[in-house]
Amino acid sequence: MMHIVMFSAGAGSWAAAKRVADHAGPDNLRLLFTDTLMEDPDAYRFLLEGAADVFDIRLSDKMKIPSWSEFPDFRDRSNWKGYLLELRREATRHIPGLVWLMDGRDPWEIFFDERFLGNSRRDPCSKILKRRAADRWLVQNCDPRDTTCYVGIDFTEAHRFDDGRGGGLGPRRASEGWRYEAPLCSEPYLAKWNIMEMIRAANLTAPRLYSLGFSHNNCHGFCVKAGHAHYRLLHQKLPEVYAYHERKEQKIRAFLGKDVSILADRRNDGRKKPLTLLAFRKRIEDSPDESIDENDYGGCGCFVDQS
Ligand code: SF4
């Protein structure tokens, strides 16, 4: 039986991989990482340290694991991608159970190619760079009759895995012939702080985005599914990342010739209107006391959603 963990560089998928490794052992275990080429540098650091820990490999004896400050500037896309290619080559040589897939494009390149800006309802970025890439690898490398796949969804979001009415990732993938499990939805249940304890106990450092207040470790704090509160946090904590995406959004609006945006505005009449990152930044800079929906973080579910 092959055991394939969808390994995202997040704390949840690391904890799920630890559970799978505990009961299945390392030999038939693969950690499948689908790279958007736009992760936080510290997510790549945790990816490598976390994968080495799952396989009980002393990676530091074999290669230098870069700290986030040693990565090139993510805005220099050519240099950044070249650096990641080399990092992948070196890492997968020393961690053979880590499968690191790259389409070669990042979410913005997908939006331009598809002539569509992702939003909270449709996410061509994760559809192409994550779900399709993982599916293609599974079909080419695994027999569904002899494979179990695992995701890091925990018990607080168990409905996303199986809503009890035939919906959710597990039943959907089962209808397509693949067996999926969510180890963190089983007892003993682990809260997020339990997983952080596990990370510390394993002598690892959790990805820095969590300590900055982000709820997930995807796409360097960016996500087309995120909401107002999330983008305010991104502007506060990683203003250079916010500025990069603000410029990209302006470019795709000009390219498409359409009034499209990642965020939506429902002020005044409650109707949904485009709200660009440029306009949202000006709003929070000009009127810092103006209230926004403090709970509007949005819901990133790269492997769960199906648009
Ligand atoms: S985290 Fe958000 S922006 Fe990144 S690939 Fe997933 S859905 Fe797209």
Side-chain angles (χ1 to χ4, degrees):
M1 172 71 75
M2 288 299 296
H3 302 276
I4 314 295
V5 178
M6 302 302 163
F7 202 61
S8 69
S13 65
W14 172 82
K18 293 287 279 184
R19 280 203 168 168
V20 176
D22 281 350
H23 81 75
D27 293 344
N28 293 320
L29 173 63
R30 300 289 179 275
L31 306 182
L32 185 59
F33 173 55
T34 48
D35 194 353
T36 62
L37 297 172
M38 213 169 75
E39 307 299 330
D40 179 34
D42 200 51
Y44 292 106
R45 188 272 310 161
F46 183 73
L47 172 86
L48 301 186
E49 293 183 354
D53 173 72
V54 168
F55 287 109
D56 204 15
I57 294 170
R58 281 184 62 87
L59 195 58
S60 53
D61 291 348
K62 304 173 192 292
M63 67 177 279
K64 173 157 179 12
I65 302 170
S67 69
W68 63 269
S69 58
E70 293 172 296
F71 279 69
D73 188 329
F74 72 93
R75 292 163 291 195
D76 179 351
R77 298 308 290 164
S78 162
N79 195 24
W80 171 265
K81 287 183 182 180
Y83 185 85
L84 289 178
L85 271 173
E86 180 57 27
L87 189 62
R88 176 178 72 166
R89 191 190 64 73
E90 184 76 352
T92 53
R93 188 158 71 90
H94 298 303
I95 316 174
L98 174 64
V99 179
W100 184 336
L101 303 181
M102 289 178 181
D103 172 282
R105 294 172 291 174
D106 64 30
W108 282 107
E109 289 168 310
I110 295 291
F111 301 149
F112 279 91
D113 286 353
E114 297 291 306
R115 302 185 68 84
F116 183 84
L117 175 58
N119 56 44
S120 59
R121 283 171 293 111
R122 277 183 64 195
D123 55 344
C125 43
S126 46
K127 178 169 86 176
I128 293 171
L129 300 180
K130 289 181 171 283
R131 297 191 293 277
R132 269 195 203 158
D135 285 355
R136 196 177 312 121
W137 185 87
L138 284 173
V139 167
Q140 290 170 352
N141 294 279
C142 300
D143 179 347
R145 293 166 300 186
D146 190 35
T147 301
T148 304
C149 303
Y150 305 86
V151 290
I153 296 171
D154 69 30
F155 73 98
T156 63
E157 296 191 308
H159 60 284
R160 301 179 87 177
F161 184 72
D162 187 345
D163 67 6
R165 303 188 306 274
L169 178 69
R172 189 171 76 246
R173 295 302 275 148
S175 73
E176 296 161 354
W178 292 95
R179 176 182 168 83
Y180 269 61
E181 293 185 6
L184 302 184
C185 291
S186 301
E187 294 182 14
Y189 296 124
L190 297 173
K192 296 216 177 345
W193 64 267
N194 294 125
I195 295 175
M196 292 300 157
E197 281 291 316
M198 281 175 64
I199 290 174
R200 277 192 287 276
N203 282 325
L204 298 172
T205 303
R208 67 172 182 148
L209 286 190
Y210 297 128
S211 56
L212 293 177
F214 292 92
S215 57
H216 66 70
N217 191 33
N218 296 337
C219 280
H220 206 165
F222 171 72
C223 183
V224 291
K225 292 174 171 276
H228 291 199
H230 181 104
Y231 276 99
R232 185 175 64 179
L233 182 68
L234 183 64
H235 180 250
Q236 285 169 343
K237 302 292 185 181
L238 299 169
E240 73 287 3
V241 178
Y242 188 103
Y244 176 79
H245 295 295
E246 179 184 312
R247 283 195 298 276
K248 283 290 191 183
E249 189 182 60
Q250 290 300 313
K251 282 186 182 164
I252 202 163
R253 284 166 57 82
F255 175 73
L256 296 175
K258 289 183 182 167
D259 184 17
V260 290
S261 65
I262 295 167
L263 292 175
D265 194 4
R266 292 184 187 275
R267 289 197 310 181
N268 302 328
D269 57 6
R271 287 204 316 231
K272 202 169 163 186
K273 299 171 279 297
L275 176 65
T276 65
L277 294 178
L278 174 68
F280 183 68
R281 175 177 58 78
K282 287 189 170 163
R283 181 185 294 181
I284 54 181
E285 283 175 350
D286 294 347
S287 311
D289 296 332
E290 184 179 314
S291 66
I292 64 164
D293 184 348
E294 300 292 337
N295 297 314
D296 181 17
Y297 277 90
C300 174
C302 285
F303 265 105
V304 181
D305 301 325
Q306 56 176 330
S307 64

